[in-house]
Amino acid sequence: MKIHPDCVPCLLKRCLYEANLVDEDKENEVITSALSILDENFEEGAVSAEVSTEVHKKVYQILGTNDPYSEVKKKSNEAAEKLLPKVEKIANKGFKETVLVSIAGNVLDFGYRDDIGSPEYLLKEFENIIDQGLAQDDTKEIEKILEKGKEVVYFTDNVGEIVFDTLLLKRLKDYEVHLTVVVKEEPILTDATMEDALKYNIDEIADQLETTGGYAVGVNFDSLSVKVKEKLERADLIIAKGMANWESFSETDYSPIAFLTRSKCQPVSDTMGVPYDENVAKLFQ
Amino acid sequence: MKIHPDCVPCLLKRCLYEANLVDEDKENEVITSALSILDENFEEGAVSAEVSTEVHKKVYQILGTNDPYSEVKKKSNEAAEKLLPKVEKIANKGFKETVLVSIAGNVLDFGYRDDIGSPEYLLKEFENIIDQGLAQDDTKEIEKILEKGKEVVYFTDNVGEIVFDTLLLKRLKDYEVHLTVVVKEEPILTDATMEDALKYNIDEIADQLETTGGYAVGVNFDSLSVKVKEKLERADLIIAKGMANWESFSETDYSPIAFLTRSKCQPVSDTMGVPYDENVAKLFQ
């Protein structure tokens, strides 16, 4: 996805959120550096995920941490665990419902909007989110591919969300596919890493567990290992969770890809061609 | 008020709001220029109103208009006129209540927050805003000054709001004071200009009607005419409506000043020493 002007204030707000999580006194330094990088890198046609990777990299460096979200991420996993019995009940109904709960988990992405994203928000609003159903529902087409396919590669997004992902991963294994799950190599925003994947036994559910190989919002394809790249090329289905994966994969020719996400911002919703602030399962063939 | 890091994303959002009011295709140019000015001018200790004046000046130039808000401003005045009978009833109760309604009108300040500020918001939420009362209530002290004072200077803020201001201006004239009202010389954001003041007969209510003499968020004291400056120096009471006037006057030694505003942002609330998102009437002696 190309960067949209709206991404700029949103990104800056998120940087300030990070400063507040770690050291409020560094807000001035954070905003000064972020402005400088954006002034240099914002241009029509720049890739949003690449620009934001540069900005966050600098902010993490200023804050002297490789994971400003470490404490709040724990709360996300806790909230998701708390909801798990309820979530399992819904997921048991079928494939579509399992996709839906995994998308509901995608709201756990705090720092960029005041109104949503916190673990408390998920706990409070979970049933409303589920009641909204899928505003874009390509689950039937996704199932068709799964019935015939052999290789599935699944890119995760946030912590907390990954707890619900395990249910979808198990269901994917009901089809006769080889399932590769890819988590983040290094902590970035609220994204799940190997630590989270192992915590929730994804190494046992999936046939193969890999990482993105580097530090990036979404995926930096230059950091991906050769074996993950080969998987992507051969995959009968790629499943990409969350908006940052859309921002990255929409710049590639990999297909078919099913994007499973909450459409939490207007530029992502517009470029994806889905309504704003809804649960969407959109397949690009 | 010194600029706060939080001002940066807020200011950029407002610039994009302006672009959307006039010409959506100019969003990229607007954000690029705004980023460049902010990268150059954001530093600890810079005055928020001065930085935002520079940014908006450039955006207006790119958009090729001296008043991007002209259409929406009309709606603010219409909403305020619609509420006027209800507002008059409340204002009739006393000085404090008249101050309160004039502050309620201060929510009419759209473009910087998604949740509040529109004429529709005011129409829907007016009674709730009034029910909140004054979270900071220095109206008794203000009245004491009015009882003894002779010279009062009143700086207005937004259109729409100015309709409610007329009620407070009339009440100020119940005290034996010489009342000078100062509106914006040139359109800036949603602020009232001479056109609005004359539309609502403020020239007949006040003893003197002046302008700020230039283009600025809040007040650029270098643009103020000598006669307004003299008024400020001699004033027994200055009344300044809205946040931008706080941003400007808090950098001066003028006193006593009563700030009447809705505390719509955290940096203003913090520097003023009042709770966030409340009606406040705070006197600095």
Side-chain angles (χ1 to χ4, degrees):
Chain A
M1 187 184 99
K2 306 303 181 197
I3 197 162
H4 188 279
D6 287 349
C7 302
V8 176
C10 181
L11 184 49
L12 290 169
K13 263 191 94 168
R14 187 143 202 175
C15 294
L16 293 172
Y17 181 82
E18 287 161 11
N20 270 287
L21 285 177
V22 179
D23 183 355
E24 211 183 315
D25 291 343
K26 291 197 170 149
E27 277 189 330
N28 271 297
E29 196 182 343
V30 160
I31 202 86
T32 303
S33 293
L35 273 172
S36 163
I37 294 173
L38 282 167
D39 185 32
E40 202 174 314
N41 291 280
F42 179 87
E43 56 182 13
E44 233 177 309
V47 176
S48 57
E50 291 174 7
V51 176
S52 58
T53 296
E54 286 313 302
V55 172
H56 289 298
K57 193 187 280 176
K58 181 70 185 171
V59 172
Y60 282 31
Q61 190 189 319
I62 292 170
L63 297 175
T65 174
N66 75 337
D67 194 3
Y69 296 87
S70 62
E71 282 308 310
V72 284
K73 274 160 60 181
K74 280 182 201 151
K75 288 188 191 154
S76 271
N77 277 335
E78 284 162 18
E81 285 174 31
K82 209 166 165 182
L83 283 170
L84 195 56
K86 202 182 277 184
V87 167
E88 276 174 333
K89 215 179 242 175
I90 299 166
N92 281 340
K93 292 183 190 163
F95 180 75
K96 179 180 162 177
E97 287 77 8
T98 314
V99 167
L100 178 60
V101 295
S102 94
I103 293 171
N106 185 248
V107 302
L108 280 171
D109 185 9
F110 30 85
Y112 72 106
R113 268 173 62 180
D114 298 333
D115 54 342
I116 68 162
S118 68
E120 296 74 20
Y121 175 83
L122 182 72
L123 288 168
K124 197 171 147 254
E125 293 297 324
F126 176 75
E127 280 166 43
N128 289 332
I129 296 163
I130 293 295
D131 286 347
Q132 288 173 19
L134 292 170
Q136 169 85 34
D137 179 8
D138 291 349
T139 51
K140 283 216 169 67
E141 290 80 353
I142 295 168
E143 276 193 282
K144 267 183 211 155
I145 296 176
L146 287 168
E147 280 156 12
K148 288 184 278 178
K150 283 177 187 150
E151 282 282 353
V152 175
V153 189
Y154 189 107
F155 281 73
T156 60
D157 190 14
N158 302 296
V159 296
E161 176 179 357
I162 202 172
V163 180
F164 301 173
D165 283 334
T166 59
L167 304 178
L168 181 54
L169 294 172
K170 282 177 194 162
R171 205 170 264 280
L172 291 174
K173 280 302 294 174
D174 289 346
Y175 299 87
E176 283 169 26
V177 297
H178 180 276
L179 177 61
T180 304
V181 172
V182 186
V183 296
K184 294 293 186 294
E185 168 74 23
E186 290 185 42
I188 176 76
L189 307 174
T190 50
D191 287 12
T193 60
M194 189 56 86
E195 189 188 333
D196 304 291
L198 296 178
K199 184 176 160 79
Y200 296 109
N201 305 318
I202 290 179
D203 54 328
E204 290 168 25
I205 304 168
D207 300 293
Q208 206 170 325
L209 180 57
E210 302 289 343
T211 79
T212 51
Y215 175 92
V217 172
V219 181
N220 175 356
F221 294 95
D222 295 333
S223 305
L224 275 189
S225 66
V226 173
K227 71 181 162 183
V228 175
K229 272 189 192 164
E230 280 173 2
K231 284 274 171 205
L232 281 175
E233 267 149 37
R234 284 205 317 262
D236 296 298
L237 179 66
I238 300 163
I239 296 177
K241 293 287 312 278
M243 302 202 302
N245 279 327
W246 163 256
E247 291 175 63
S248 299
F249 273 103
S250 58
E251 292 294 313
T252 73
D253 293 326
Y254 292 122
S255 74
I257 311 188
F259 292 99
L260 311 183
T261 191
R262 181 83 186 167
S263 54
K264 292 165 285 187
C265 87
Q266 199 66 55
V268 164
S269 309
D270 291 346
T271 52
M272 202 183 257
V274 296
Y276 170 67
D277 231 5
E278 295 279 357
N279 307 311
V280 298
K282 182 146 182 173
L283 178 68
F284 288 79
Q285 304 237 35
Chain B
M1 186 184 101
K2 307 304 183 198
I3 197 162
H4 188 278
D6 287 349
C7 302
V8 175
C10 181
L11 184 49
L12 289 169
K13 262 191 94 168
R14 188 144 201 174
C15 293
L16 292 173
Y17 181 82
E18 288 161 10
N20 269 286
L21 286 175
V22 179
D23 183 355
E24 212 184 313
D25 291 343
K26 292 197 169 148
E27 277 189 330
N28 271 298
E29 196 181 344
V30 160
I31 202 86
T32 302
S33 293
L35 272 171
S36 164
I37 295 172
L38 281 166
D39 184 34
E40 202 174 311
N41 291 280
F42 179 87
E43 55 182 14
E44 234 176 308
V47 176
S48 57
E50 292 174 8
V51 176
S52 58
T53 297
E54 287 313 303
V55 173
H56 288 298
K57 194 189 281 176
K58 182 69 186 172
V59 172
Y60 282 32
Q61 190 189 320
I62 292 169
L63 297 176
T65 173
N66 74 338
D67 193 4
Y69 295 87
S70 62
E71 283 306 311
V72 283
K73 275 159 60 181
K74 280 182 202 152
K75 288 189 190 153
S76 271
N77 277 336
E78 284 163 17
E81 285 173 31
K82 209 166 167 181
L83 283 169
L84 195 56
K86 203 181 274 183
V87 168
E88 276 173 334
K89 215 179 240 177
I90 299 165
N92 281 341
K93 292 182 190 165
F95 181 75
K96 178 180 161 177
E97 288 77 9
T98 314
V99 166
L100 178 60
V101 294
S102 93
I103 292 170
N106 185 247
V107 301
L108 280 171
D109 186 8
F110 30 84
Y112 72 105
R113 268 174 62 181
D114 298 332
D115 54 341
I116 68 163
S118 67
E120 296 74 21
Y121 175 82
L122 182 72
L123 288 169
K124 196 169 150 256
E125 292 298 325
F126 177 75
E127 280 164 44
N128 288 333
I129 297 163
I130 293 295
D131 286 347
Q132 288 173 20
L134 292 171
Q136 169 84 36
D137 178 8
D138 292 350
T139 51
K140 284 215 166 67
E141 292 79 351
I142 294 167
E143 274 193 282
K144 267 183 209 155
I145 296 176
L146 286 168
E147 278 156 13
K148 289 184 276 177
K150 283 178 190 152
E151 282 282 352
V152 175
V153 188
Y154 190 108
F155 281 74
T156 60
D157 190 13
N158 301 298
V159 296
E161 175 179 359
I162 202 171
V163 179
F164 301 174
D165 283 334
T166 59
L167 304 177
L168 180 54
L169 294 172
K170 281 176 193 162
R171 204 171 262 283
L172 291 174
K173 280 301 294 173
D174 289 347
Y175 300 87
E176 283 169 23
V177 297
H178 180 275
L179 178 61
T180 304
V181 172
V182 186
V183 295
K184 294 292 187 294
E185 169 73 24
E186 291 184 43
I188 176 78
L189 306 175
T190 49
D191 288 10
T193 60
M194 188 57 84
E195 188 188 333
D196 303 292
L198 296 178
K199 183 175 162 79
Y200 296 109
N201 306 317
I202 291 178
D203 54 328
E204 289 169 24
I205 304 169
D207 300 293
Q208 208 171 324
L209 180 58
E210 301 289 344
T211 79
T212 51
Y215 176 93
V217 172
V219 181
N220 175 356
F221 295 95
D222 296 333
S223 305
L224 275 188
S225 66
V226 174
K227 70 181 165 186
V228 175
K229 273 188 190 164
E230 281 174 2
K231 284 275 170 203
L232 281 175
E233 268 149 36
R234 285 204 317 262
D236 297 298
L237 179 66
I238 299 162
I239 296 177
K241 295 288 311 279
M243 303 203 300
N245 279 326
W246 163 256
E247 291 175 62
S248 299
F249 274 102
S250 58
E251 292 294 313
T252 73
D253 294 326
Y254 292 122
S255 74
I257 312 188
F259 292 97
L260 311 183
T261 191
R262 181 83 186 169
S263 55
K264 291 165 286 187
C265 87
Q266 199 65 55
V268 163
S269 309
D270 290 347
T271 53
M272 202 184 256
V274 296
Y276 170 66
D277 231 5
E278 295 279 358
N279 307 310
V280 298
K282 181 144 182 175
L283 179 68
F284 288 79
Q285 303 238 30

